[in-house]
């Protein structure tokens, strides 16, 4: 596996979410715990981990009041911090065992925490709003525990085109992002390159969809395979919805027997059973504990908890629209309830309607406030979409399929690369090609990326400018003779491994120049 392993049965890793505004009175300390993994640890241990984290946060604020603490490296543990919302912290404590000491990327771990939070907010709204709605904390705990349980245990069963959702639990081992993942970037989208004619057809389709919805405030995402083609959402909302689509909605996600594009080795179904039972049991412990603590959360509300990350719960209907039984049925009928999502930018509540034709997936977000009769009103919108846009969708899928180069469409012979731009879009070598790299090359690149991240943070902290894009170039010779290169310029980043390059640095630099001029419009050229 391309992941660092820690044992869930020991103190290998803890993941907790707590609210600094709660549990400040003696005897009420447990109130601050919103989530803890493993959930079956004694409360004394949970409070010890959270107390230490709270102390580190308070201490570091003395020296950096304007920048939140991100990581504390101790002798035996790494403490990774993410302030998801004001005074609501997510903390991951990772044991520095011989197995994982040099493998885990701190920045990648923080992005895992960010991803969990963004997906949770997408379906449930902000954590703070849930705490304000039900002040005992029972409501948010009843949602957080199954949600993160599904996130950890379900990701490994997916078809992972983009490599961003790894097999987190295998057996009794929790698999964390490691040096094998250094040629990927979580928290970005992967775009499909389309020609002029196809782009015009997509633009025309988006306009037809907006007209069919009957409201100017609807939004849409168009995906082909697991790649983004078009979006009318803000960058943050695009990434959240794109992430969920790749996890649960695209054809690869719906195909239980599809071939994975991930270079991470897949385990068979039998070997996954212990992992799923382990984390499920952990969730059961937490449910029992917090049910007894939160008397205000009655049994009826417990039954209403929705689990949008449950695997294999979406299916394609006869009309092409995707449906799920996760949200129940409408008034006891056979019609599945359409899920509602929350936009981060506008804080609007939107119906999520997904349509699929072959490799084309279209997500249409319709404001809840614009639909008067619930599912009945949505069925009319879907009917309008089918009547007005069916032919357009067929044409778009056909044009995109003709121009699609397959899984290795973005492979560049002789290069293994990752390109990240300032619009949170990334492109990388195909996973099957990355798999051919030697361990020494990946380890060198992982360390190089840590250096680049550190330099970016230093530049940001030392500059008074809001947008401080530091020009940077680092070239390292790995132990196996490969050249590992990083360049940042104008908000864009390029990471590259050249295993078959010449002995000279000049040859490696020339290879980067050629790549930059041909595929990056010369952004990373030194001329």
């Amino acid at each position: 596996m391309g992941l660092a392993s820690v044992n869930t049965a020991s103190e290998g890793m803890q993941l907790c979410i707590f609210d600094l505004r709660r549990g400040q009175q003696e005897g009420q300390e447990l109130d601050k715990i919103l989530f803890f993994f493993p959930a079956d640890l004694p409360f004394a241990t949970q409070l010890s981990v959270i107390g230490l984290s709270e102390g580190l946060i308070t201490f570091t604020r003395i020296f950096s009041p304007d920048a939140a603490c991100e990581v504390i490296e101790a002798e035996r543990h790494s403490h990774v911090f993410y302030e998801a919302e004001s005074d609501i912290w997510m903390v991951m404590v990772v044991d520095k065992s011989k197995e994982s000491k040099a493998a885990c990327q701190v920045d990648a771990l923080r992005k895992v925490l960010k991803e969990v939070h963004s997906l949770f907010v997408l379906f449930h709204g902000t954590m703070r709003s849930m705490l304000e709605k039900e002040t005992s904390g029972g409501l948010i705990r009843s949602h957080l525990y199954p949600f993160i349980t599904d996130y950890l245990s379900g990701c490994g069963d997916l078809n992972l085109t983009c490599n961003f959702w790894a097999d987190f639990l295998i057996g009794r081992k929790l698999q964390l992002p490691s040096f094998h993942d250094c040629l990927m970037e979580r928290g970005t989208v992967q775009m499909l390159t389309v020609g002029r004619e196809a782009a015009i057809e997509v633009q025309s389709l988006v306009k037809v969809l907006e007209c069919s919805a009957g409201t100017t405030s609807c939004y849409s995402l168009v995906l082909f395979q697991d790649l983004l083609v078009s979006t009318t959402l803000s960058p943050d909302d695009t990434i959240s919805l794109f992430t969920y689509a790749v996890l649960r909605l695209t054809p690869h996600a719906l195909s239980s027997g599809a071939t994975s594009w991930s270079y991470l080795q897949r385990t068979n179904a039998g070997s996954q059973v212990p992992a799923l039972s382990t984390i499920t049991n952990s969730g059961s412990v937490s449910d029992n504990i917090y049910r007894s603590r939160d008397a205000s959360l009655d049994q009826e509300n417990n039954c209403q908890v929705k689990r949008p990350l449950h695997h294999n719960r979406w299916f394609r209907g006869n009309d092409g629209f995707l449906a799920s039984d996760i949200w129940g049925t409408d008034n006891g009928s056979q019609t599945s309830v359409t899920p509602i999502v929350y936009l981060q930018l506008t804080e609007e509540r939107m119906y999520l309607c997904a349509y699929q034709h072959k490799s084309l997936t279209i997500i249409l977000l319709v404001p809840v406030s614009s639909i008067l009769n619930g599912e009945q009103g949505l069925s009319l919108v879907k009917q309008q979409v089918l009547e007005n846009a069916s032919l357009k969708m067929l044409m778009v899928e056909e044009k995109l399929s003709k121009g699609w180069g397959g899984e290795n469409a973005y492979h560049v012979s002789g290069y293994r690369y990752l390109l990240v731009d300032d619009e949170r879009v990334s492109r990388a070598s195909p996973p099957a090609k990355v798999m051919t790299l030697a361990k020494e090359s990946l380890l060198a690149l992982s360390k190089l990326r840590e250096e680049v991240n550190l330099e970016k943070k230093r530049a940001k902290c030392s500059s008074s400018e809001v947008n401080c894009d530091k020009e940077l170039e680092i070239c390292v010779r790995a132990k196996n003779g490969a050249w590992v290169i990083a360049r940042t310029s104008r908000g864009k980043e390029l990471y590259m491994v050249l295993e078959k390059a010449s002995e000279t640095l000049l040859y490696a630099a020339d290879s980067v120049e050629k790549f930059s001029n041909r595929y990056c419009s010369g952004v990373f050229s030194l001329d």
Side-chain angles (χ1 to χ4, degrees), residues 157-162 225-226 251-264 266 407 431-432:
D157 299 330
L158 302 178
N159 184 298
L160 310 180
T161 302
C162 299
Q225 300 285 357
D226 287 352
H252 287 102
L254 295 180
S255 300
S256 58
T259 302
S260 173
W261 295 10
S262 175
Y263 65 82
L264 303 177
R266 300 288 297 280
E407 299 175 8

Side-chain angles (χ1 to χ4, degrees), residues 52 61 234 388 407 510:
L52 176 59
R61 276 179 171 168
S234 69
N388 300 333
E407 299 175 8
D510 184 59

Side-chain angles (χ1 to χ4, degrees), residues 475-488:
C475 299
V476 176
R477 197 73 185 267
K479 292 181 179 180
N480 62 336
W483 285 104
V484 179
I485 302 164
R487 287 190 185 180
T488 64

Side-chain angles (χ1 to χ4, degrees), residues 442-455:
L442 292 171
L443 278 170
L445 181 59
S446 179
K447 293 178 181 178
L448 181 60
R449 292 205 61 181
E450 291 181 358
E451 282 294 321
V452 172
N453 290 331
L454 184 59
E455 287 296 326

